[in-house]
């Protein structure tokens, strides 16, 4: 994908899934360390050499949830993505409250996992939060809630603005449909309707049409990406 | 604790009944005493009178009327006026001595009224009853001796009064005891009821407290708890099975999906293979989605309300409405929303969003464009009502209860996409929120209304109100 390798620690006790994760993530160009035990994972993560942690909620030795809580208590801020087979009602909130940054319910599409890991690993540090996002000649001001391309102001509806904001925050990365549903609409379920597609086509009509170069791309079978260099 | 609640308890009624029985027992006992005493009094009076006559006849000097009269006067002086009443006639019928009215001068047993003795008189003209026995004297003349029944009457009266007082007191004490027992039993039963209510709310680990009212009640509580343990065990088993099934089926399906995904990007482009892999992946995704929905419904149905927070329902509905606006526009259908502002409920925001989304998708799926769909949320008293009305074919009344079952589909909807889980999920979420899903006729079409209890507003405490 042309992106620098991400160092990932995976805590997963089930050998099948662990092997599948290692193989898939390595193929995607990442460096993967596998761990079967929560305590081991805790000590490895404590060293702070990883860009992102993938943690199964249920792991022997130390429960995944507890491990992340302990890490946060120890001041380790490495982004954490929880994996779970449960998908219960309160599980997501519980995971986020424990200090997790994202949450993925098994089964998941691999593209989904990779997209989320990229988003987590390349998240800008909190200190340098920008208020204006820029992709090519497209500008989005998060404070004034305005969008302009090539100096021309573009009017977006609130949800369209949020969608474009999320895309631009992850410029150059693939953003999946589920990630958009979760972050733009706070929908943590799977609607059968093509909500994302309908909104996306409107944004495209406003942002890309009549400006020559199309910034928003559809990545088949994966999601969307906004990129000025493509 | 309000009085009617206590007087309505079985314990109170039982104790009151016992009190009444005791009081009745006292009455019966006293009536028996009274009869016995009266009988005894009558006999003792007769014996007294008879022996007085014998005494007089035997000890009188000369044994004749004159002697007896003298003795009578002597005795009256010694004994006082109240012990015996007398009347002595000479052989010629002349009154020799005595204080009884002359009319009492006849043979055999009789009763006469005399003024009551001054010391026991309650009012001036009170009369006392005197039983008399008259006997002809040897050598002529008549002796009449009488004894007042006044004391016996007094005794009987006192006895009846004492009985009434005792009976009343017993009843009063019984009522007091009944009240106390009733209150205690009620407070213990209330604790049990409160625990049961918490269990029904979904706190399945809660158990009934021991009632502390004796072995039989504690055994009842223990048995109910054992029953709950058993039910809990069964449910746990069921959940375990579902989670095992979920795990055991979803994991290989996920791996299958992963292989298909890998095959897609493998080596040289191969349109035919890629199309097949894509189609297979779509199928797998559909199975996985159905599976997830099913598990989710089960989780919602078995879920508790621990994670509930105050939710701005208006904001949720508006968000879902805006999400579906462009969808409706793309389909070319009219889609209107009416959202009353700031309706608050206690709940799970994510589940409520899914509920509204499912209702809309159900309406969209069954109303061919350009059929209008209308979404609204408004307050109705203490409830918030989410309503989705469509112009589709509607649901026949006799099928309305069935469409909330998992996988239930009307015959004509077999061809529309979906697994038939949408309304089941809506129902489960509504019930988790202590609400209900009501389906009715939109003439034409369907109105699906979800009625939820609103979050009670926090009242600012009035300055005059007691703390």
């Amino acid at each position: 994908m042309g992106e620098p390798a991400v160092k990932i620690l995976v805590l997963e006790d089930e050998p099948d899934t662990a092997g599948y994760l290692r193989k898939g993530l390595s193929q995607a160009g990442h460096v993967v360390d596998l761990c079967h035990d929560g305590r081991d994972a805790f000590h490895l993560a404590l060293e702070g050499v990883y860009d992102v942690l993938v943690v199964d909620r249920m792991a022997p030795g130390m429960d995944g949830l507890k491990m992340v809580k302990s890490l946060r208590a120890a001041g380790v801020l490495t982004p954490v993505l929880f994996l779970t087979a449960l998908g219960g009602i309160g599980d997501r909130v519980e995971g986020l409250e424990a200090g997790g940054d994202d949450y993925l319910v098994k089964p998941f599409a691999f593209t989904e996992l990779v997209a989320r890991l990229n988003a987590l690993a390349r998240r800008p540090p909190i200190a340098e939060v920008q208020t204006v996002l820029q992709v090519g000649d497209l500008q989005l001001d998060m404070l004034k809630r305005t969008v302009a391309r090539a100096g021309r102001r573009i009017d977006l509806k609130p949800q369209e603005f949020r969608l474009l904001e999320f895309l631009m925050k992850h410029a150059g990365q693939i953003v999946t449909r589920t990630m958009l549903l979760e972050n733009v609409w706070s929908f943590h379920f799977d609607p059968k309707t093509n909500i994302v597609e309908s909104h996306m086509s409107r944004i495209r009509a406003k942002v890309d049409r009549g400006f020559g170069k199309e910034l928003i791309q559809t990545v088949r079978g994966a999601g969307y990406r906004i990129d000025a260099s493509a | 604790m309000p009085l009617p609640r206590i007087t309505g308890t079985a314990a109170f009624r039982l104790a009151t009944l016992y009190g009444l029985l005791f009081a009745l027992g006292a009455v019966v006992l006293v009536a028996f005493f009274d009869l016995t005493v009266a009988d005894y009094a009558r006999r003792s009076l007769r014996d007294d009178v008879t022996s007085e006559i014998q005494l007089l006849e035997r000890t009188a000097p000369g044994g004749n009327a004159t002697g007896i009269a003298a003795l009578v006067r002597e005795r009256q002086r010694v004994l006082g006026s109240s012990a015996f009443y007398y009347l002595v006639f000479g052989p010629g019928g002349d009154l020799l001595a005595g204080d009884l009215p002359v009319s009492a001068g006849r043979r055999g047993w009789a009763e006469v009224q005399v003024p009551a003795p001054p010391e026991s008189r309650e009012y001036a003209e009170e009369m006392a009853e005197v039983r008399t026995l008259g006997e002809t004297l040897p050598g002529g003349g008549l002796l009449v001796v009488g004894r007042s029944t006044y004391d016996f009457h007094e005794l009987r009266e006192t006895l009846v009064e004492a009985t009434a007082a005792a009976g009343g007191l017993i009843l009063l004490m019984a009522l007091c005891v009944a009240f106390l027992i009733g209150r205690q039993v009620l407070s213990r039963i209330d604790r049990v009821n409160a625990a049961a209510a918490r269990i029904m709310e979904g706190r399945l680990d809660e158990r009934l407290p021991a009632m502390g009212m004796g072995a039989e009640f504690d055994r009842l509580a223990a048995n109910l708890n054992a029953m709950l343990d058993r039910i809990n065990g069964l449910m746990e088993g069921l959940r375990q099975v579902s989670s095992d099934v979920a795990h055991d089926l979803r994991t290989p399906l996920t791996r299958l999906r992963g292989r298909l995904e890998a095959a897609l990007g493998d080596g040289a482009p191969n349109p035919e293979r890629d199309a097949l892999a894509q189609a297979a992946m779509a199928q797998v995704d559909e199975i996985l989605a159905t599976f997830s929905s099913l598990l989710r419904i089960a989780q919602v149905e078995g879920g508790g309300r621990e994670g509930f927070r105050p939710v701005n329902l208006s904001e949720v509905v508006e968000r879902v409405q805006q999400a579906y606006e462009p969808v409706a526009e793309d389909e070319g259908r009219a889609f209107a929303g009416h959202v009353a502002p700031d309706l608050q409920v206690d709940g799970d925001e994510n589940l409520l969003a899914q509920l509204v989304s499912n209702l809309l998708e159900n309406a969209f799926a069954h109303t061919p464009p350009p059929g209008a769909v209308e979404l609204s949320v408004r307050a109705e008293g203490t409830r918030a009502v989410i309503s989705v009305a469509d112009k589709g074919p509607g649901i026949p009344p006799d099928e309305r209860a069935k469409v909330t079952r998992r996988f239930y589909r009307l015959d004509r909807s077999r061809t529309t996409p979906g697994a038939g889980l949408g309304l089941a999920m809506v129902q489960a979420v509504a019930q988790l929120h202590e609400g209900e899903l009501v389906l009715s006729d939109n003439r034409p079409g369907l109105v699906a209304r979800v009625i939820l209890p609103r979050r009670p507003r926090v009242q600012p405490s009035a300055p005059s109100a007691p703390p």
Side-chain angles (χ1 to χ4, degrees):
Chain A
M1 282 185 201
E3 289 163 349
V6 174
K7 251 181 103 59
I8 304 168
L9 175 68
V10 176
L11 170 60
E12 170 64 75
D13 63 307
E14 203 198 42
D16 270 356
T17 314
Y20 165 67
L21 283 172
R22 188 216 287 274
K23 192 171 162 234
L25 289 173
S26 303
Q27 274 174 0
H30 301 310
V31 180
V32 182
D33 282 344
L34 262 185
C35 226
H36 308 290
D37 184 282
R39 270 188 298 261
D40 296 348
F42 173 74
H43 291 297
L44 280 171
L46 214 49
E47 289 167 24
V49 297
Y50 296 101
D51 297 312
V52 61
L53 312 177
V54 177
V55 177
D56 191 310
R57 269 195 54 161
M58 302 205 290
M62 194 190 236
D63 178 67
L65 214 60
K66 219 153 93 197
M67 188 205 87
V68 173
K69 266 188 203 158
S70 313
L71 275 181
R72 293 297 184 245
V76 178
L77 297 174
T78 314
V80 168
L81 182 132
F82 274 116
L83 284 184
T84 180
L86 302 169
I89 311 161
D91 290 356
R92 185 179 55 82
V93 178
E94 229 176 73
L96 298 186
E97 277 170 359
D101 301 271
D102 203 353
Y103 200 90
L104 199 51
V105 179
K106 294 179 195 170
F108 48 84
F110 215 86
T111 45
E112 187 72 46
L113 176 68
V114 172
R116 280 167 190 262
L117 287 179
N118 276 326
L120 284 179
R122 297 180 215 288
R123 200 167 50 170
I126 295 155
E128 15 175 307
V129 167
Q130 308 150 281
T131 60
V132 177
L133 301 170
Q134 178 121 25
V135 174
D137 54 355
L138 179 66
Q139 259 195 348
L140 180 142
D141 189 322
M142 292 192 279
L143 291 181
K144 293 188 198 146
R145 318 293 292 170
T146 55
V147 179
R149 183 158 182 195
R152 246 161 65 201
R153 197 185 153 131
I154 297 168
D155 281 325
L156 292 181
K157 289 185 175 167
Q159 291 184 347
E160 293 168 351
F161 183 90
R162 293 240 292 278
L163 202 161
L164 185 63
E165 181 184 355
F166 189 79
L167 271 180
M168 289 175 76
K169 272 185 182 165
H170 299 93
Q173 297 168 13
I174 293 173
V175 168
T176 66
R177 187 173 152 269
T178 322
M179 284 163 81
L180 288 169
L181 283 170
E182 288 178 7
N183 288 285
V184 177
W185 288 276
S186 305
F187 284 1
H188 298 274
F189 54 90
D190 190 13
K192 284 170 189 60
T193 315
N194 293 332
I195 295 172
V196 176
E197 288 76 352
S198 290
H199 283 266
M200 197 62 84
S201 71
R202 273 158 188 76
I203 293 175
R204 280 180 157 151
K206 292 177 182 175
V207 170
D208 275 344
R209 199 168 297 158
F211 287 99
K213 185 175 170 171
E214 290 196 350
L215 298 174
I216 302 171
Q217 298 134 27
T218 304
V219 183
R220 252 188 84 87
Y224 303 92
R225 177 169 50 202
I226 194 161
D227 204 341
S229 57
Chain B
M1 212 175 286
L3 193 66
R5 281 205 63 203
I6 295 167
T7 53
T9 58
F12 181 85
R13 288 179 186 174
L14 214 60
T16 308
L17 188 66
Y18 275 125
L20 279 170
L21 279 176
F22 274 125
L24 193 68
V27 168
V28 169
L29 194 67
V30 165
F32 175 72
F33 269 144
D34 182 49
L35 280 177
T36 316
V37 166
D39 186 50
Y40 168 77
R42 240 190 316 276
R43 266 189 289 129
S44 104
L45 187 140
R46 190 163 34 206
D47 291 351
D48 285 354
V49 170
T50 316
S51 54
E52 179 71 8
I53 287 177
Q54 281 172 1
L55 182 93
L56 286 171
E57 281 177 352
R58 215 174 300 142
T59 57
N64 58 15
T66 321
I68 287 173
L71 189 57
V72 162
R73 274 194 293 275
E74 173 66 15
R75 280 182 75 80
Q76 275 180 325
R77 197 175 54 77
V78 174
L79 296 172
S81 61
S82 61
F84 287 100
Y85 292 87
Y86 303 95
L87 207 56
V88 187
F89 292 98
D94 47 331
L95 179 65
L96 295 180
D99 47 6
L100 280 170
V102 182
S103 62
R106 52 193 136 137
R107 271 204 297 274
W109 287 103
E111 268 157 23
V112 292
Q113 298 284 324
V114 299
E119 66 271 15
S120 63
R121 210 182 281 173
E122 280 169 25
Y123 52 96
E125 284 83 31
E126 193 180 358
M127 301 296 277
E129 196 185 79
V130 175
R131 256 178 99 70
T132 58
L133 177 60
E135 268 189 16
T136 315
L137 292 168
L142 182 69
L143 169 63
V144 179
V145 172
R147 196 161 170 70
S148 170
T149 60
Y150 184 84
D151 287 348
F152 297 114
H153 283 302
E154 281 290 281
L155 178 67
R156 286 181 69 179
E157 230 167 77
T158 312
L159 215 60
V160 169
E161 276 166 16
T163 311
L169 198 67
I170 289 174
L171 196 61
L172 197 70
M173 276 164 58
L175 278 172
C176 282
V177 170
F179 181 79
L180 289 175
I181 294 178
R183 197 174 63 174
Q184 193 166 16
V185 168
L186 199 60
S187 80
R188 285 170 181 178
I189 298 276
D190 274 353
R191 285 214 311 272
V192 174
N193 276 333
R198 284 194 295 275
I199 295 166
M200 283 187 281
E201 271 170 23
R203 271 182 248 167
L204 299 175
D205 50 338
E206 179 99 23
R207 286 295 173 266
L208 304 178
M211 285 190 250
M213 287 193 308
E216 69 273 39
F217 285 104
D218 287 344
R219 208 159 43 235
L220 175 65
N223 276 338
L224 287 173
N225 282 339
M227 195 173 82
L228 284 169
D229 286 341
R230 179 99 179 99
I231 292 171
N232 223 17
L234 288 171
M235 278 174 62
E236 205 56 59
L238 206 62
R239 255 197 294 276
Q240 191 59 47
V241 166
S242 330
S243 90
D244 286 351
V245 168
H247 198 259
D248 291 356
L249 282 184
R250 287 206 290 183
T251 307
L253 277 171
T254 310
R255 234 175 287 137
L256 173 61
R257 197 193 185 285
R259 288 203 186 130
L260 288 167
E261 213 173 341
L264 262 177
D266 218 13
N270 182 338
E272 200 178 331
R273 180 202 62 194
D274 287 358
L276 273 173
Q278 292 275 17
M281 261 169 69
Q283 295 266 320
V284 172
D285 282 345
E286 205 172 300
I287 297 169
L288 285 170
T290 301
F291 219 80
S292 296
S293 303
L294 211 53
L295 279 174
R296 215 168 144 79
I297 292 170
Q299 274 161 352
V300 171
E301 282 177 341
R305 306 187 177 96
E306 302 88 26
F308 273 25
R309 269 150 227 202
V311 175
N312 185 335
L313 187 66
S314 306
E315 189 275 321
V316 172
V317 174
E318 199 157 28
R319 175 151 45 90
V320 179
Q321 182 211 328
Q322 287 176 9
Y324 282 84
E325 254 164 13
V327 177
E329 213 175 288
D330 287 350
E331 289 180 354
R333 74 166 78 245
F335 176 45
H338 310 281
V339 179
D342 281 329
L343 288 177
Q344 302 277 339
V345 296
D346 268 320
D348 182 307
E349 189 173 328
N350 185 41
L351 289 178
L352 289 171
Q354 182 167 12
L355 177 146
V356 181
S357 162
N358 279 18
L359 284 177
L360 280 184
E361 290 190 342
N362 187 64
F364 280 24
H366 295 107
T367 309
V373 171
E374 220 170 292
L375 165 69
S376 78
V377 61
R378 64 180 185 283
E380 276 184 14
T382 59
R383 329 226 107 203
V385 180
I386 304 166
S387 159
V388 173
D390 66 42
K391 295 283 179 197
I395 300 173
D398 54 321
E399 300 226 53
R400 276 177 204 150
K402 297 181 195 160
V403 292
T404 54
R405 290 186 200 156
R406 292 166 177 75
F407 299 114
Y408 188 87
R409 312 196 64 190
L410 299 175
D411 281 335
R412 61 158 189 275
S413 330
R414 299 256 170 234
T415 49
T416 50
L421 291 171
L423 288 180
M425 181 68 185
V426 170
Q427 169 115 320
V429 173
Q431 281 171 356
L432 182 69
H433 287 78
E434 289 174 325
E436 53 172 339
L437 166 67
V438 180
L439 301 173
S440 49
D441 203 341
N442 196 30
R443 293 165 222 272
L446 178 75
V447 190
R449 295 161 78 234
V450 171
I451 302 162
L452 300 172
R454 279 168 73 191
R455 187 179 159 71
R457 273 183 195 285
V458 183
Q459 295 285 334
S461 56
S464 60

